[in-house]
Amino acid sequence: MTRRHTLAAVVAVALLGVTAGCTADRDGARVEPPTAAQPSAPPQAAPEESCNARASLRPTGALPAPRKMPAGTHMAEIFKRGRLILGTSQDTLLFSSRNPFTGRIEGFDVDMGRQIAEAIFGDPDKIQIKVIGYDQRVQLAANGTVDLVADTMTVNCERLAEVDFSAVYYEAGQQVLVNKGSTAKGIEDLGGKRVCAVTGSTSLENIAKVGSRPQPVGRAGWADCLVAFQQNEVDAISTDDTILAGLAAQDPYAKVVGPKFTSEPYAMAISKQYPEFTRFVNQVLARNKADGRWKRTYDTWLGDFGTAPAPPRAAYR
Ligand code: GLU
């Protein structure tokens, strides 16, 4: 079974759960491919930033061979422990979601973590996935509960004050999901409407900044936003194009509209206690972007949306 077929099957199974609480017109819904993701399209507006949030720590020296982590480093600690601990979500289709057939959490973000495990152990399976809330991402990375957070997480100056981030590994941007019958052409047309996003996400803050003043409504996870949308508790959902593509794939009565009105560069969050680990992660990322591994990961999870763009360029400080 290819990933494409796996996605269709996962969505089909997800629908069984999601449609259970839906209004009658949604029953018997057909699965359509998402139309939203345009990962290479330029963002409409860059957020105001007080620092260069994209600039991470520069790798130093050559990448150590797997199982040969330099003594005294956090990589050596992880090796000794026998597994890398990755914090991520389980409901972001294509990035990190639970495959109902295997029970495994999988996706682009999970593969980012697996590739770091592979670089440390020579085995991508030496990984423990901790499912965390979106509003816990900064805290659990900062205090070292998890080694890495890879969870559609935007790097920005506010978060950078508390954690280090790897170089950027994916460029997303915020759009909006509405009912298929809606005449809204973008977030600006939703003035006064209830628009859902997850508590602790940049998406919720961005909705509040829109000039036409949509009403931001916070929920615990994206699946909760989708149920609220399907039960008419909210009029729309607004978040990254990547996440909306996964939600639209679960609801054929929804469509994604509008230009990307923010820039959401994704990076992995790491405790500031381990700068050598951030440098190591950046070394692995740089290698993977150069040798085609990043592209293969893109093709595996996002290939249905078209040809892979060039990987984001690393910036260092
Ligand atoms: N990328 C945004 C963030 O990091 C929104 C999506 C999410 O919550 O994962 O807050």
Side-chain angles (χ1 to χ4, degrees):
M1 187 185 271
T2 63
R3 295 288 183 196
R4 183 187 301 250
H5 293 125
T6 306
L7 169 61
V10 168
V11 168
V13 171
L15 268 171
L16 295 176
V18 172
T19 54
C22 299
T23 51
D25 66 333
R26 295 180 184 280
D27 289 341
R30 194 162 55 85
V31 178
E32 289 182 358
T35 54
Q38 304 150 0
S40 56
Q44 295 298 301
E48 287 166 32
E49 288 283 21
S50 55
C51 72
N52 181 3
R54 290 168 178 267
S56 184
L57 300 176
R58 187 178 294 280
T60 46
L63 183 63
R67 296 179 289 276
K68 302 265 184 277
M69 296 301 112
T73 63
H74 189 57
M75 296 83 83
E77 276 299 308
I78 295 170
F79 185 74
K80 208 165 114 203
R81 186 202 295 141
R83 65 195 192 284
L84 172 84
I85 304 176
L86 172 73
T88 194
S89 56
Q90 62 173 346
D91 66 349
T92 310
L93 207 57
L94 305 177
F95 277 77
S96 52
S97 69
R98 195 176 289 279
N99 179 325
F101 297 109
T102 63
R104 283 162 66 112
I105 297 176
E106 58 185 27
F108 192 96
D109 279 341
V110 173
D111 279 0
M112 291 296 112
R114 288 170 58 79
Q115 287 162 10
I116 304 303
E118 185 172 30
I120 295 173
F121 296 100
D123 179 356
D125 289 334
K126 297 258 189 231
I127 190 165
Q128 176 189 351
I129 296 181
K130 260 192 199 298
V131 173
I132 61 173
Y134 289 95
D135 55 356
Q136 296 178 301
R137 292 176 295 184
V138 170
Q139 183 202 344
L140 298 185
N143 67 19
T145 302
V146 297
D147 297 311
L148 273 179
V149 170
D151 194 13
T152 59
M153 188 169 184
T154 300
V155 52
N156 62 27
C157 296
E158 192 185 332
R159 291 172 175 170
L160 203 49
E162 295 183 60
V163 288
D164 277 335
F165 277 95
S166 70
V168 172
Y169 66 81
Y170 192 86
E171 299 281 358
Q174 189 163 344
Q175 288 182 297
V176 63
L177 177 142
V178 291
N179 265 310
K180 270 224 165 115
S182 169
T183 55
K185 296 213 164 14
I187 189 78
E188 287 290 353
D189 295 335
L190 295 173
K193 303 281 188 204
R194 298 155 303 173
V195 182
C196 194
V198 164
T199 307
S201 67
T202 53
S203 315
L204 195 63
E205 294 167 19
N206 292 336
I207 294 165
K209 291 179 196 157
V210 172
S212 63
R213 304 182 66 138
Q215 282 178 44
V217 176
R219 287 285 188 274
W222 296 113
D224 303 292
C225 273
L226 187 60
V227 171
F229 174 72
Q230 291 171 330
Q231 294 182 333
N232 294 321
E233 288 167 23
V234 298
D235 304 293
I237 303 172
S238 182
T239 184
D240 304 346
D241 54 340
T242 46
I243 299 169
L244 291 183
L247 296 179
Q250 298 172 65
D251 187 342
Y253 292 93
K255 64 180 178 185
V256 178
V257 295
K260 293 181 194 175
F261 62 96
T262 67
S263 169
E264 307 292 332
Y266 293 168
M268 290 176 254
I270 297 166
S271 170
K272 284 181 184 286
Q273 298 169 70
Y274 314 126
E276 76 284 5
F277 184 45
T278 301
R279 293 181 201 279
F280 174 83
V281 167
N282 285 343
Q283 229 158 4
V284 177
L285 267 179
R287 181 200 62 188
N288 293 356
K289 287 175 183 177
D291 74 2
R293 276 179 236 213
W294 184 94
K295 182 183 177 307
R296 284 197 293 281
T297 311
Y298 185 100
D299 289 342
T300 299
W301 298 107
L302 305 166
D304 284 355
F305 305 141
T307 316
R313 286 171 72 100
Y316 301 118
R317 59 180 189 263

